Each structure stands twice: as C-alpha cells, then as structure tokens.
Amino acid sequence: METKILKKPHDDYDWPEYTKIYAKQTAEMMSENNEFLIKNSFLDGDTIIFKDALNDNWKELYKQVITLGVNNVFECGCGPGYHLHNIRTLKPSVQVFGGELLQTQLDFGRNTLGIPEDLYNNTELVDLSIPLASCLFNNKYEFVYTQAVTMHLNHEKAIEFIRNMANISSKYVFLMENWGNHDYPNLLQESGVLNVFESEMIKGEYQTYMLLTK
Ligand SMILES: C[S@@+](CC[C@H](N)C(=O)[O-])C[C@H]1O[C@@H](n2cnc3c(N)ncnc32)[C@H](O)[C@@H]1O
C-alpha cells in the first residue's frame, strides 16, 4: 500500500494580516478569563505551582524549561513575547531571547498586553523560514523552542524553520505544535536535523511535545 505523506501546501495565514486576527482571538480569550501573563504562579524548588488560568501547552513549555535546568532560551516566532516574559518571571536567572517575523506582534505585546519594554531588547525581527537565516546569529542557545508556529507554515518553510532552530541550538530543540498539521517525522528526516539530534515525542503532564536533544 502506498504511504500518503502530507506536504502542507500553504501557510495557514497571510502573515501581514495576522496581528489583526490575533487581536480578535486574544480579546475573546481574555473575555473567557484566560490569562496571558503570569501574576500568581511561582516556583517551589523545581516545581511550578500554577495559580494563573494559562493554556495547558504553555504550562508544559514552562515546566520543560524548569525541568531541564537550562540557563537560556530562544523562542522562534515569539509573537508578543509572553512566554519569554513568563519564563523570566518564574525564574529570573534564565536569560530569554526571541525572534519574530512581525513588528506588529512585538508592538501588541508592549502596548496591549503591557509586557515590560526591556524584554524587547532581547528580541529581533527575523524570518526564520529563509534558508540559513541562522547565519545571522552570533550565539547559540540551550533551549530553542516554538509554540504554534511550524504547524501554520507550508512544508518547505517548516523544514527551513526547523533547520534554523537546530542550527542555533547548543543542546535542545523543543516543539509544541499540532502534530496533525504536518508529517513531522518525515519533516525532521528531510530537514537533516536527525543527523545531529535524537528526537523523542513526550507525553507530558498536560500535552504531548517533541524534544530534540544533541
Ligand atoms: C500562532 S503565532 C504563535 C506565537 C507564540 N509562539 C505563541 O505561542 O503565542 C505564530 C507566530 O509565528 C510568527 N512567524 C510566522 N512565520 C514566521 C517566520 N518565518 N519567522 C519568524 N516568525 C514567524 C508569526 O508572526 C506569529 O507571531
């Protein structure tokens, strides 16, 4: 029997229009009392005590950063930057960095969500779906992650995006995505990252995620 491999033909969004759509989604989430920024959650040793109404995917991401004990993280497609803000709120010794395609997303974080301005000293505008975009970076980061980004990109862009993530990682690549949107095992194979990283699908306390380890 022929195996059918999903090669996602199009991005899910027209990205220059994305922040408008996102602003609407965010307002809906806020009206349902979902929270974006950590206010009351805290770290007790290596355990996060969650006291804010956060999305489960986000909790799993923050848990992983704390469990692995990394010193720095880089979020690819960081949007408004609330994960970076939340990670440094939970554990201020973790240095946080991010790359994002759209200035409007970063502006949304500072102007609408009220994320402190200094966070944006560590974010940069970059298209991570361009081949070898990783050459623009002078540093490597211990934990390079995405949350809901590659799942929205077409097949070719997703491959380049993951390659760039792998190139700027010194230790881990973490993917929190919708696993039905691509044939991820095939995508990783095609990207060549499995020549350097071991990949593992992990069923966490809240969600299933993929961890690549060098
Ligand atoms: C669905 S949002 C997720 C944002 C954030 N990671 C989160 O968890 O809320 C996808 C983000 O990826 C960004 N993005 C899309 N294509 C990108 C690219 N080629 N390079 C960098 N960022 C990109 C978008 O602008 C958007 O902010």
Side-chain angles (χ1 to χ4, degrees):
M1 208 206 312
E2 199 185 320
T3 321
K4 225 175 166 189
I5 294 175
L6 172 74
K7 289 200 175 185
K8 194 172 160 59
H10 305 295
D11 288 5
D12 290 336
Y13 296 102
D14 173 14
W15 292 108
E17 295 297 314
Y18 175 69
T19 303
K20 267 189 246 159
I21 301 164
Y22 174 81
K24 200 165 165 262
Q25 287 171 350
T26 305
E28 279 164 16
M29 284 172 74
M30 281 172 160
S31 72
E32 288 161 11
N33 294 329
N34 294 293
E35 288 171 281
F36 286 76
L37 305 188
I38 282 183
K39 294 189 190 82
N40 300 310
S41 304
F42 62 93
L43 206 53
D44 178 9
D46 276 349
T47 304
I48 307 174
I49 311 296
F50 287 109
K51 298 277 185 191
D52 301 283
L54 301 168
N55 176 291
D56 281 350
N57 288 356
W58 309 357
K59 290 190 202 168
E60 199 67 61
L61 163 66
Y62 308 155
K63 224 175 137 246
Q64 193 55 225
V65 170
I66 301 302
T67 304
L68 292 174
V70 291
N71 297 305
N72 54 67
V73 303
F74 189 102
E75 180 170 358
C76 296
C78 66
Y82 43 81
H83 301 312
L84 298 171
H85 173 75
N86 287 340
I87 289 167
R88 74 174 186 172
T89 302
L90 283 170
K91 191 169 178 184
S93 64
V94 177
Q95 289 182 293
V96 301
F97 302 90
E100 168 54 42
L101 182 69
L102 302 172
Q103 181 65 51
T104 49
Q105 281 287 293
L106 302 177
D107 292 343
F108 190 87
R110 40 161 87 82
N111 300 332
T112 307
L113 297 179
I115 294 174
E117 182 59 35
D118 70 308
L119 184 97
Y120 301 100
N121 296 335
N122 285 6
T123 58
E124 54 196 294
L125 286 177
V126 59
D127 183 343
L128 287 159
S129 68
I130 289 178
L132 295 178
S134 51
C135 295
L136 300 168
F137 293 81
N138 294 322
N139 296 318
K140 290 199 183 246
Y141 304 89
E142 289 178 25
F143 185 86
V144 177
Y145 70 92
T146 54
Q147 201 305 119
V149 181
T150 64
M151 62 190 246
H152 294 305
L153 301 178
N154 72 33
H155 181 80
E156 279 74 24
K157 281 191 184 180
I159 285 185
E160 293 301 341
F161 201 102
I162 290 173
R163 250 185 217 145
N164 282 318
M165 291 179 76
N167 286 344
I168 63 170
S169 165
S170 61
K171 225 170 191 174
Y172 301 108
V173 172
F174 173 98
L175 300 169
M176 178 62 79
E177 302 286 347
N178 183 337
W179 306 115
N181 278 24
H182 290 284
D183 178 349
Y184 275 94
N186 183 53
L187 204 67
L188 291 182
Q189 196 69 50
E190 225 184 294
S191 71
V193 300
L194 298 181
N195 297 332
V196 183
F197 290 82
E198 297 278 338
S199 91
E200 207 183 344
M201 284 301 289
I202 300 179
K203 201 170 176 325
E205 188 182 348
Y206 304 102
Q207 290 296 330
T208 300
Y209 56 92
M210 186 181 286
L211 186 67
L212 307 181
T213 309
K214 228 178 211 175

Coordinates of all heavy atoms in Angstrom, one line a residue, residues 77-145:
G77 N 9.6 32.6 16.5 CA 8.2 33.0 16.3 C 7.6 33.4 17.6 O 6.6 32.8 18.0
C78 N 8.2 34.3 18.3 CA 7.8 34.5 19.8 C 6.5 35.3 19.9 O 6.1 35.6 21.0 CB 8.9 35.2 20.5 SG 9.4 36.8 20.0
G79 N 5.9 35.8 18.8 CA 4.7 36.6 18.9 C 4.9 37.8 19.8 O 6.0 38.4 19.7
P80 N 4.0 38.1 20.6 CA 4.1 39.2 21.5 C 5.2 39.1 22.6 O 5.5 40.0 23.3 CB 2.7 39.4 22.2 CG 1.8 38.6 21.3 CD 2.6 37.5 20.7
G81 N 5.6 37.9 22.9 CA 6.7 37.6 23.8 C 6.2 37.2 25.2 O 7.0 37.2 26.1
Y82 N 5.0 36.8 25.3 CA 4.5 36.5 26.7 C 5.2 35.2 27.3 O 5.3 35.1 28.5 CB 3.0 36.4 26.9 CG 2.2 35.7 25.8 CD1 2.1 34.4 25.8 CD2 1.6 36.5 24.8 CE1 1.4 33.8 24.8 CE2 0.9 35.9 23.8 CZ 0.8 34.5 23.8 OH 0.1 33.9 22.8
H83 N 5.5 34.3 26.4 CA 6.2 33.1 27.0 C 7.6 33.5 27.6 O 8.0 33.1 28.7 CB 6.4 32.0 26.0 CG 5.2 31.5 25.4 ND1 4.1 31.2 26.2 CD2 4.8 31.3 24.1 CE1 3.1 30.8 25.4 NE2 3.5 30.9 24.1
L84 N 8.3 34.4 26.9 CA 9.6 34.8 27.3 C 9.4 35.6 28.7 O 10.2 35.4 29.6 CB 10.2 35.7 26.3 CG 10.5 35.0 25.0 CD1 11.0 36.0 23.9 CD2 11.6 33.9 25.1
H85 N 8.4 36.4 28.7 CA 8.1 37.2 29.9 C 7.8 36.2 31.1 O 8.3 36.4 32.2 CB 7.0 38.2 29.6 CG 6.5 38.9 30.9 ND1 7.2 39.9 31.5 CD2 5.4 38.7 31.7 CE1 6.6 40.3 32.5 NE2 5.5 39.6 32.7
N86 N 6.9 35.2 30.8 CA 6.5 34.3 31.8 C 7.7 33.5 32.4 O 7.8 33.2 33.6 CB 5.4 33.4 31.3 CG 4.1 34.2 31.2 OD1 3.9 35.2 31.8 ND2 3.2 33.7 30.4
I87 N 8.5 33.1 31.4 CA 9.7 32.2 31.9 C 10.6 33.0 32.8 O 11.0 32.6 33.8 CB 10.4 31.7 30.6 CG1 9.6 30.6 29.9 CG2 11.8 31.1 31.0 CD1 10.1 30.2 28.5
R88 N 10.9 34.3 32.4 CA 11.8 35.1 33.3 C 11.1 35.5 34.6 O 11.8 35.7 35.5 CB 12.4 36.2 32.5 CG 11.5 37.4 32.2 CD 12.3 38.5 31.6 NE 11.4 39.7 31.5 CZ 11.7 40.9 31.2 NH1 13.0 41.2 30.9 NH2 10.9 41.9 31.1
T89 N 9.8 35.6 34.5 CA 9.1 35.9 35.8 C 9.2 34.7 36.8 O 9.4 34.9 37.9 CB 7.6 36.2 35.5 OG1 7.5 37.3 34.6 CG2 6.8 36.5 36.8
L90 N 9.0 33.5 36.2 CA 9.1 32.3 37.1 C 10.5 32.1 37.6 O 10.8 31.7 38.7 CB 8.7 31.0 36.3 CG 7.2 30.8 36.0 CD1 7.0 29.7 35.0 CD2 6.5 30.5 37.4
K91 N 11.5 32.3 36.7 CA 12.9 32.0 37.0 C 13.8 33.1 36.4 O 14.3 33.0 35.3 CB 13.3 30.6 36.5 CG 14.6 30.2 37.1 CD 14.9 28.7 36.8 CE 16.2 28.3 37.4 NZ 16.6 26.9 37.0
P92 N 14.0 34.2 37.2 CA 14.8 35.3 36.6 C 16.2 35.0 36.2 O 16.7 35.8 35.3 CB 14.8 36.3 37.8 CG 13.6 35.9 38.6 CD 13.5 34.4 38.5
S93 N 16.8 33.9 36.6 CA 18.2 33.7 36.2 C 18.2 33.1 34.8 O 19.3 33.0 34.2 CB 18.8 32.7 37.2 OG 18.1 31.4 37.1
V94 N 17.1 32.7 34.2 CA 17.1 32.2 32.8 C 17.1 33.4 31.9 O 16.2 34.3 32.0 CB 15.8 31.3 32.5 CG1 15.8 30.9 31.1 CG2 15.8 30.1 33.5
Q95 N 18.1 33.5 31.0 CA 18.1 34.6 30.0 C 17.2 34.2 28.9 O 17.2 33.1 28.4 CB 19.5 34.7 29.5 CG 20.5 35.3 30.5 CD 21.8 35.4 29.8 OE1 22.5 34.4 29.5 NE2 22.2 36.7 29.6
V96 N 16.4 35.2 28.5 CA 15.4 34.9 27.4 C 15.6 35.7 26.2 O 15.9 36.9 26.3 CB 13.9 35.1 28.0 CG1 13.6 34.2 29.2 CG2 13.6 36.5 28.3
F97 N 15.4 35.1 25.0 CA 15.7 35.7 23.7 C 14.6 35.2 22.8 O 14.0 34.1 22.9 CB 17.0 35.3 23.1 CG 18.2 35.7 24.0 CD1 18.6 34.8 25.0 CD2 18.8 36.9 24.0 CE1 19.7 35.1 25.8 CE2 19.8 37.3 24.8 CZ 20.3 36.4 25.8
G98 N 14.3 36.1 21.7 CA 13.3 35.6 20.8 C 13.5 36.2 19.4 O 14.1 37.3 19.2
G99 N 12.9 35.5 18.4 CA 12.9 36.0 17.0 C 11.5 36.0 16.5 O 10.8 35.1 16.8
E100 N 11.1 37.1 15.8 CA 9.7 37.2 15.4 C 9.7 37.8 14.0 O 10.5 38.7 13.7 CB 8.9 38.0 16.4 CG 7.5 38.4 16.0 CD 6.6 37.4 15.5 OE1 6.5 36.3 16.1 OE2 5.9 37.6 14.5
L101 N 8.8 37.4 13.2 CA 8.6 37.9 11.8 C 8.0 39.4 11.8 O 8.4 40.2 11.0 CB 7.7 37.0 11.0 CG 7.4 37.3 9.6 CD1 8.7 37.1 8.7 CD2 6.3 36.4 9.0
L102 N 7.0 39.6 12.7 CA 6.2 40.8 12.6 C 6.5 41.8 13.7 O 6.3 41.5 14.9 CB 4.7 40.4 12.6 CG 4.2 39.4 11.5 CD1 2.8 39.0 11.8 CD2 4.3 40.1 10.2
Q103 N 6.8 43.0 13.3 CA 6.9 44.1 14.3 C 5.5 44.3 15.0 O 5.5 44.6 16.2 CB 7.2 45.4 13.6 CG 7.4 46.6 14.5 CD 8.6 46.5 15.5 OE1 9.7 46.2 15.0 NE2 8.3 46.7 16.7
T104 N 4.4 44.1 14.3 CA 3.1 44.3 14.9 C 2.8 43.4 16.1 O 2.1 43.7 17.0 CB 2.0 44.1 13.9 OG1 2.2 42.9 13.2 CG2 1.9 45.2 12.9
Q105 N 3.5 42.2 16.1 CA 3.3 41.3 17.2 C 4.0 41.8 18.4 O 3.5 41.8 19.5 CB 3.8 39.9 16.8 CG 2.9 39.1 15.9 CD 1.7 38.5 16.7 OE1 1.9 37.7 17.6 NE2 0.6 39.0 16.4
L106 N 5.2 42.2 18.2 CA 6.0 42.8 19.3 C 5.3 44.0 19.9 O 5.2 44.2 21.1 CB 7.4 43.1 18.9 CG 8.3 42.0 18.3 CD1 9.6 42.4 17.8 CD2 8.4 40.8 19.3
D107 N 4.8 44.8 19.0 CA 4.0 46.0 19.5 C 2.8 45.7 20.3 O 2.5 46.3 21.2 CB 3.6 46.9 18.3 CG 4.8 47.5 17.6 OD1 5.9 47.6 18.2 OD2 4.7 48.0 16.4
F108 N 2.1 44.6 19.8 CA 1.0 44.1 20.6 C 1.3 43.7 22.0 O 0.6 44.0 23.0 CB 0.4 42.9 19.8 CG -1.0 42.5 20.3 CD1 -2.1 43.1 19.9 CD2 -1.1 41.5 21.3 CE1 -3.4 42.7 20.3 CE2 -2.4 41.2 21.8 CZ -3.5 41.8 21.3
G109 N 2.5 43.1 22.1 CA 2.9 42.7 23.5 C 3.2 43.9 24.4 O 2.7 43.9 25.5
R110 N 3.9 44.9 23.9 CA 4.2 46.0 24.7 C 3.0 46.9 24.9 O 2.7 47.3 26.1 CB 5.4 46.9 24.2 CG 5.5 47.1 22.8 CD 6.4 48.3 22.5 NE 7.8 48.0 22.4 CZ 8.4 47.5 21.4 NH1 7.8 47.2 20.3 NH2 9.7 47.2 21.4
N111 N 2.2 47.1 23.9 CA 1.1 48.1 24.0 C -0.2 47.5 24.6 O -0.9 48.2 25.3 CB 0.8 48.8 22.6 CG 2.0 49.5 22.1 OD1 2.9 49.9 22.8 ND2 2.1 49.5 20.8
T112 N -0.5 46.3 24.2 CA -1.8 45.8 24.6 C -1.7 44.8 25.8 O -2.5 44.9 26.8 CB -2.5 45.0 23.5 OG1 -2.5 45.9 22.3 CG2 -3.9 44.6 23.8
L113 N -0.6 44.0 25.8 CA -0.5 43.1 27.0 C 0.3 43.7 28.1 O 0.3 43.2 29.2 CB 0.2 41.8 26.5 CG -0.6 41.0 25.5 CD1 0.1 39.7 25.1 CD2 -2.0 40.6 26.0
G114 N 1.0 44.8 27.8 CA 1.7 45.5 28.9 C 3.0 44.8 29.3 O 3.4 44.9 30.5
I115 N 3.6 44.1 28.4 CA 4.9 43.4 28.7 C 6.0 44.5 28.8 O 6.1 45.4 28.0 CB 5.2 42.4 27.6 CG1 4.2 41.3 27.7 CG2 6.6 41.8 27.8 CD1 4.3 40.2 26.6
P116 N 6.8 44.4 29.9 CA 7.8 45.5 30.1 C 8.8 45.6 28.9 O 9.2 44.6 28.2 CB 8.6 45.0 31.3 CG 7.6 44.1 32.0 CD 6.8 43.5 31.0
E117 N 9.1 46.9 28.6 CA 9.8 47.3 27.4 C 11.2 46.6 27.3 O 11.6 46.2 26.2 CB 10.0 48.8 27.4 CG 10.7 49.4 26.2 CD 10.1 49.1 24.9 OE1 8.8 49.0 24.8 OE2 10.8 48.8 23.9
D118 N 11.8 46.3 28.4 CA 13.2 45.8 28.4 C 13.2 44.4 27.8 O 14.3 44.0 27.3 CB 13.8 45.8 29.8 CG 13.2 44.8 30.7 OD1 11.9 44.8 30.8 OD2 13.9 44.0 31.2
L119 N 12.1 43.7 27.8 CA 12.1 42.3 27.1 C 12.5 42.4 25.7 O 13.2 41.6 25.1 CB 10.7 41.7 27.2 CG 10.7 40.3 26.7 CD1 10.9 39.3 27.8 CD2 9.5 39.9 25.9
Y120 N 12.1 43.6 25.0 CA 12.3 43.7 23.6 C 13.7 44.0 23.2 O 14.0 44.1 22.0 CB 11.2 44.6 23.0 CG 9.8 44.1 23.3 CD1 9.1 44.6 24.4 CD2 9.3 43.0 22.6 CE1 7.8 44.1 24.7 CE2 8.1 42.4 23.0 CZ 7.3 43.0 24.0 OH 6.1 42.5 24.3
N121 N 14.5 44.3 24.2 CA 16.0 44.4 23.9 C 16.5 43.1 23.5 O 17.6 43.0 22.8 CB 16.8 44.9 25.2 CG 16.3 46.2 25.6 OD1 15.8 47.0 24.8 ND2 16.5 46.5 26.9
N122 N 15.9 42.0 23.9 CA 16.4 40.6 23.6 C 15.6 40.0 22.5 O 15.6 38.7 22.3 CB 16.3 39.8 24.8 CG 17.4 40.1 25.8 OD1 18.1 41.1 25.6 ND2 17.5 39.4 26.8
T123 N 14.7 40.7 21.7 CA 14.0 40.1 20.6 C 14.5 40.8 19.3 O 14.9 41.9 19.3 CB 12.5 40.3 20.7 OG1 12.2 41.7 20.8 CG2 11.9 39.6 22.0
E124 N 14.4 40.0 18.2 CA 14.8 40.6 17.0 C 13.8 40.2 15.9 O 13.2 39.1 16.0 CB 16.2 40.3 16.6 CG 16.5 38.8 16.6 CD 18.0 38.6 16.5 OE1 18.6 39.0 15.5 OE2 18.5 38.1 17.5
L125 N 13.7 41.1 14.9 CA 12.8 40.8 13.7 C 13.6 39.9 12.8 O 14.7 40.3 12.3 CB 12.4 42.0 13.0 CG 11.4 42.9 13.7 CD1 11.1 44.1 12.9 CD2 10.1 42.1 13.9
V126 N 13.1 38.7 12.5 CA 13.8 37.8 11.6 C 12.8 36.8 10.9 O 11.8 36.5 11.6 CB 14.9 37.0 12.4 CG1 14.3 36.2 13.5 CG2 15.7 36.1 11.5
D127 N 13.1 36.5 9.7 CA 12.2 35.5 9.0 C 13.0 34.2 9.1 O 14.0 33.9 8.4 CB 12.0 35.9 7.5 CG 11.1 34.9 6.8 OD1 11.0 33.7 7.4 OD2 10.6 35.2 5.8
L128 N 12.5 33.3 10.0 CA 13.3 32.0 10.3 C 12.9 30.9 9.3 O 13.4 29.8 9.4 CB 13.0 31.6 11.7 CG 13.7 32.4 12.7 CD1 13.0 32.3 14.1 CD2 15.2 32.0 12.9
S129 N 12.1 31.3 8.2 CA 11.8 30.3 7.2 C 12.7 30.4 6.0 O 12.6 29.7 5.0 CB 10.3 30.3 6.8 OG 10.1 31.5 6.1
I130 N 13.6 31.4 6.1 CA 14.6 31.6 5.0 C 15.8 30.7 5.2 O 16.3 30.6 6.3 CB 15.0 33.1 4.9 CG1 13.8 34.0 4.5 CG2 16.2 33.3 4.1 CD1 14.1 35.4 4.4
P131 N 16.2 30.0 4.1 CA 17.4 29.1 4.3 C 18.6 29.9 4.9 O 18.9 31.0 4.5 CB 17.7 28.7 2.9 CG 16.4 28.8 2.1 CD 15.7 29.9 2.8
L132 N 19.2 29.3 5.9 CA 20.4 29.8 6.5 C 20.2 31.1 7.3 O 21.1 31.9 7.5 CB 21.6 29.9 5.5 CG 22.0 28.5 5.0 CD1 23.2 28.7 4.0 CD2 22.5 27.6 6.2
A133 N 18.9 31.4 7.6 CA 18.7 32.6 8.5 C 19.5 32.5 9.8 O 19.9 33.5 10.4 CB 17.2 32.7 8.8
S134 N 19.8 31.3 10.2 CA 20.6 31.0 11.4 C 22.0 31.7 11.3 O 22.6 32.0 12.3 CB 20.8 29.5 11.7 OG 21.2 28.9 10.5
C135 N 22.5 31.9 10.1 CA 23.8 32.6 9.9 C 23.8 34.0 10.5 O 24.9 34.6 10.7 CB 24.3 32.6 8.5 SG 24.5 31.0 7.8
L136 N 22.6 34.6 10.7 CA 22.5 35.9 11.2 C 22.8 36.0 12.7 O 22.9 37.0 13.3 CB 21.1 36.5 10.9 CG 20.7 36.6 9.5 CD1 19.2 36.9 9.4 CD2 21.5 37.7 8.8
F137 N 22.9 34.8 13.3 CA 23.0 34.8 14.8 C 24.5 34.5 15.1 O 25.1 33.6 14.6 CB 22.2 33.6 15.4 CG 20.7 33.9 15.2 CD1 20.0 33.6 14.0 CD2 20.0 34.4 16.3 CE1 18.7 33.9 13.9 CE2 18.6 34.6 16.1 CZ 18.0 34.4 14.9
N138 N 25.0 35.3 16.1 CA 26.3 35.0 16.6 C 26.4 34.0 17.7 O 27.4 33.4 18.0 CB 26.9 36.4 17.1 CG 27.1 37.3 16.0 OD1 27.4 37.0 14.9 ND2 26.8 38.6 16.3
N139 N 25.2 33.8 18.4 CA 25.2 33.0 19.6 C 24.4 31.7 19.3 O 23.6 31.6 18.4 CB 24.6 33.7 20.8 CG 25.5 34.9 21.1 OD1 26.7 34.8 21.2 ND2 24.8 36.0 21.4
K140 N 24.6 30.7 20.2 CA 23.8 29.5 20.3 C 23.0 29.6 21.6 O 23.5 30.2 22.6 CB 24.6 28.3 20.1 CG 25.1 28.1 18.7 CD 25.5 26.7 18.4 CE 26.1 26.6 17.1 NZ 25.3 25.8 16.1
Y141 N 21.9 28.9 21.7 CA 21.1 28.9 22.9 C 20.8 27.5 23.3 O 20.6 26.6 22.5 CB 19.8 29.6 22.5 CG 20.1 31.0 22.0 CD1 20.3 31.2 20.7 CD2 20.2 32.1 22.9 CE1 20.6 32.5 20.2 CE2 20.5 33.4 22.4 CZ 20.7 33.6 21.1 OH 21.1 34.8 20.6
E142 N 20.6 27.3 24.6 CA 20.5 25.9 25.1 C 19.1 25.3 24.8 O 19.1 24.1 24.6 CB 20.7 25.9 26.7 CG 22.1 26.2 27.1 CD 22.3 26.2 28.6 OE1 21.5 25.6 29.3 OE2 23.2 26.9 29.0
F143 N 18.1 26.1 24.8 CA 16.8 25.6 24.6 C 16.1 26.5 23.6 O 15.7 27.6 23.9 CB 16.0 25.6 26.0 CG 14.6 25.0 26.0 CD1 14.5 23.6 26.2 CD2 13.5 25.8 25.8 CE1 13.2 23.1 26.2 CE2 12.2 25.2 25.8 CZ 12.1 23.9 26.1
V144 N 15.9 25.9 22.4 CA 15.3 26.7 21.3 C 14.0 26.1 21.0 O 13.9 24.9 20.8 CB 16.2 26.6 20.0 CG1 15.6 27.3 18.8 CG2 17.6 27.1 20.3
Y145 N 12.9 26.9 21.1 CA 11.6 26.3 21.0 C 10.6 27.1 20.1 O 10.8 28.3 19.8 CB 11.0 26.2 22.4 CG 10.7 27.5 23.1 CD1 9.4 28.0 23.0 CD2 11.6 28.2 23.9 CE1 9.1 29.2 23.7 CE2 11.3 29.4 24.5 CZ 10.0 29.9 24.4 OH 9.7 31.1 25.0

